[in-house]
Amino acid sequence: MFQTAPIEAASQSELTSQMAARLHTALTTHLQQAYAPDQRKSLRLFSATETAELLGVTGQFLRKCHSEGSLPEPEVIKNGRRFYTGEEILQARHLLEASSRKPGKYLPGRREGDKLQVIQLMNFKGGSAKSTSAIHLCHYLALSGYRVLAIDLDPQGSLTGFCGIQTELEFEGASIYDALRYEDPVPMSETIVETYFPGLHLAPARLVLSEFETETAVNAGRGVAFFEKLSKAIQSVESSYDVVVIDSPPALGFLTLTGLYAATSVIVPMTPSMLDLASTQQFVEMTSAYLGVIEDTGVKLDHDFFSFLITRDDPSDIPSQQIVSLMRALFQDRVVGATGLRSTAIGDASMLKMSIYEVARSEMTRSTYDRAKNSMDAVGAEIAAMLQQAWGR
């Protein structure tokens, strides 16, 4: 039961301590109910129709593969209907790719000679749906057959929570901070954990990551370079992944800058409002200044794409559509054509630390679900096309 008695405290520190304790109790209770009995998330099953769509085949082709034995039957069959786990879908991709005449049809990731793609999502305006966009991109790419590493550079750990590790309850084990710290850093491989989502690994964040800002300020005064730290950490594990997705904190500090140096591409999520437009202008201006400082050291930064992503888009809202039109007029193809819609389906899923891909269509109003999923599919597909273009395909 939650405490409902008034808080009485002798000092401000005692007051805030009691507030923190009550919030911790409430969060713990909620998470225990959500992830009971072991507080671990699990991915739902996918219907045969969804699985065929994900694989890019017809339902008839999928049934033929099962009847011929080229694909094993899924473990779950209810009333004659097949349901697939994420692991079974990934296994099917590997089996189909092995017999495909077209390389990359089922596993579209890196080939020999392709460089690792590192996408950083960044904006210092809170509420830009940055973490929501990051997790949807991670899930879309993983379901599409890419080997994805998510790196959470935000000490608040929003992306970490989306991936099933509850920072509110604290967790044991290494985090991305341990690979970036100045004293006795650990190998990047020791900070990475598998998630419940097949094809997606995570370098999680903890609140201690905020110490990187202080440590960097101290070490910068001693002439110690900081911006290469994440890049070098990623290089040590790059053979295991096709794409890295970095979720940055809502600030243009040292964490964001070390991510910017490591990135091969940048996406700036923004909501279509005049306030966000003004904030984004300031953000880009500051980013330019910091990039100039880095380049003055002799380092050449060359991003494959630097694009804006419109989030929480409401096509029926005329003022917001004017902002969207302005952005497209100003930056043409540097604005992602697809937009993330403002949707109760995405909002409700996010409240449960889930993406739309984790929610079954039957659990929501179907038209609302379809609009939301189609929106995120379109964004994911366009960014995936950018990745393919960067690989020269």
Side-chain angles (χ1 to χ4, degrees):
M1 294 289 293
F2 296 144
Q3 293 175 293
T4 56
I7 295 178
E8 297 181 0
S11 66
Q12 192 66 31
S13 62
E14 184 180 343
L15 172 66
T16 54
S17 175
Q18 290 185 41
M19 288 178 172
R22 288 194 180 188
L23 284 170
H24 183 270
T25 300
L27 285 167
T28 302
T29 303
H30 169 73
L31 293 171
Q32 287 174 341
Q33 292 173 345
Y35 303 131
D38 60 358
Q39 294 184 14
R40 292 184 62 85
K41 291 180 71 175
S42 60
L43 184 58
R44 67 177 177 90
L45 297 175
F46 294 83
S47 68
T49 301
E50 290 177 301
T51 300
E53 180 182 349
L54 287 169
L55 295 174
V57 301
T58 64
Q60 182 181 5
F61 176 83
L62 195 59
R63 290 190 295 270
K64 179 182 177 183
C65 289
H66 288 307
S67 64
E68 293 177 347
S70 56
L71 288 181
E73 290 282 359
E75 289 188 13
V76 179
I77 300 178
K78 300 177 182 177
N79 300 321
R81 299 176 60 195
R82 298 180 177 92
F83 291 87
Y84 300 77
T85 64
E87 290 84 356
E88 287 170 336
I89 295 174
L90 187 57
Q91 180 189 20
R93 284 191 178 278
H94 282 276
L95 292 172
L96 291 171
E97 179 71 21
S99 60
S100 175
R101 296 178 181 177
K102 182 180 178 182
K105 181 176 181 180
Y106 299 101
L107 293 172
R110 294 166 68 192
R111 303 174 197 168
E112 187 175 353
D114 291 340
K115 70 176 181 181
L116 177 72
Q117 293 296 309
V118 182
I119 304 174
Q120 170 153 325
L121 284 86
M122 53 186 281
N123 197 332
F124 66 16
K125 176 68 170 64
S128 62
K130 179 174 52 60
S131 296
T132 301
S133 300
I135 193 61
H136 279 88
L137 180 58
C138 287
H139 285 178
Y140 176 88
L141 293 174
L143 285 172
S144 299
Y146 293 87
R147 299 171 301 163
V148 184
L149 171 62
I151 298 179
D152 193 351
L153 284 187
D154 188 347
Q156 297 179 76
S158 297
L159 187 62
T160 298
F162 271 121
C163 288
I165 298 177
Q166 305 313 318
T167 55
E168 297 90 342
L169 303 182
E170 283 299 313
F171 61 91
E172 297 180 359
S175 71
I176 186 61
Y177 170 74
D178 296 292
L180 298 180
R181 67 191 185 201
Y182 289 84
E183 293 186 9
D184 301 320
V186 305
M188 180 69 166
S189 59
E190 294 183 15
T191 72
I192 295 172
V193 295
E194 292 188 22
T195 71
Y196 63 95
F197 209 101
L200 176 61
H201 291 178
L202 169 72
R206 299 176 68 177
L207 191 58
V208 70
L209 180 58
S210 59
E211 292 295 321
F212 180 79
E213 299 286 341
T214 303
E215 293 173 6
T216 298
V218 171
N219 283 275
R222 301 170 181 166
V224 179
F226 75 92
F227 47 81
E228 294 181 338
K229 293 184 75 66
L230 181 60
S231 177
K232 289 181 177 179
I234 291 174
Q235 288 173 12
S236 68
V237 297
E238 70 169 283
S239 61
S240 300
Y241 303 101
D242 303 313
V243 185
V244 175
V245 176
I246 301 174
D247 185 27
S248 305
L252 197 55
F254 295 122
L255 284 167
T256 299
L257 292 175
T258 193
L260 186 62
Y261 179 85
T264 60
S265 301
V266 174
I267 294 176
V268 180
M270 60 167 290
T271 57
S273 72
M274 189 56 69
L275 183 63
D276 283 75
L277 183 64
S279 176
T280 299
Q281 181 272 326
Q282 295 175 341
F283 172 76
V284 174
E285 184 175 347
M286 290 180 64
T287 300
S288 174
Y290 281 117
L291 286 174
V293 172
I294 294 176
E295 291 174 344
D296 285 344
T297 66
V299 175
K300 182 181 179 181
L301 296 176
D302 185 19
H303 295 121
D304 291 323
F305 55 87
F306 193 114
S307 302
F308 296 94
L309 170 64
I310 304 298
T311 61
R312 297 181 177 171
D313 182 26
D314 183 355
S316 65
D317 184 73
I318 295 177
S320 71
Q321 292 311 296
Q322 292 174 338
I323 299 295
V324 174
S325 298
L326 174 62
M327 288 296 293
R328 297 198 188 284
L330 290 173
F331 300 109
Q332 291 89 39
D333 59 355
R334 289 193 178 274
V335 180
V336 178
T339 64
L341 291 181
R342 180 185 296 275
S343 169
T344 56
I346 295 174
D348 290 349
S350 296
M351 287 182 63
L352 298 174
K353 296 189 177 181
M354 299 169 68
S355 76
I356 196 68
Y357 299 108
E358 298 177 83
V359 182
R361 187 169 181 254
S362 59
E363 296 176 6
M364 293 184 174
T365 303
R366 293 190 174 185
S367 58
T368 302
Y369 176 88
D370 288 344
R371 281 194 299 271
K373 183 176 179 297
N374 289 341
S375 165
M376 303 317 294
D377 280 347
V379 171
E382 190 165 344
I383 294 175
M386 293 177 181
L387 297 177
Q388 294 292 322
Q389 184 177 9
W391 284 326
R393 301 175 199 161

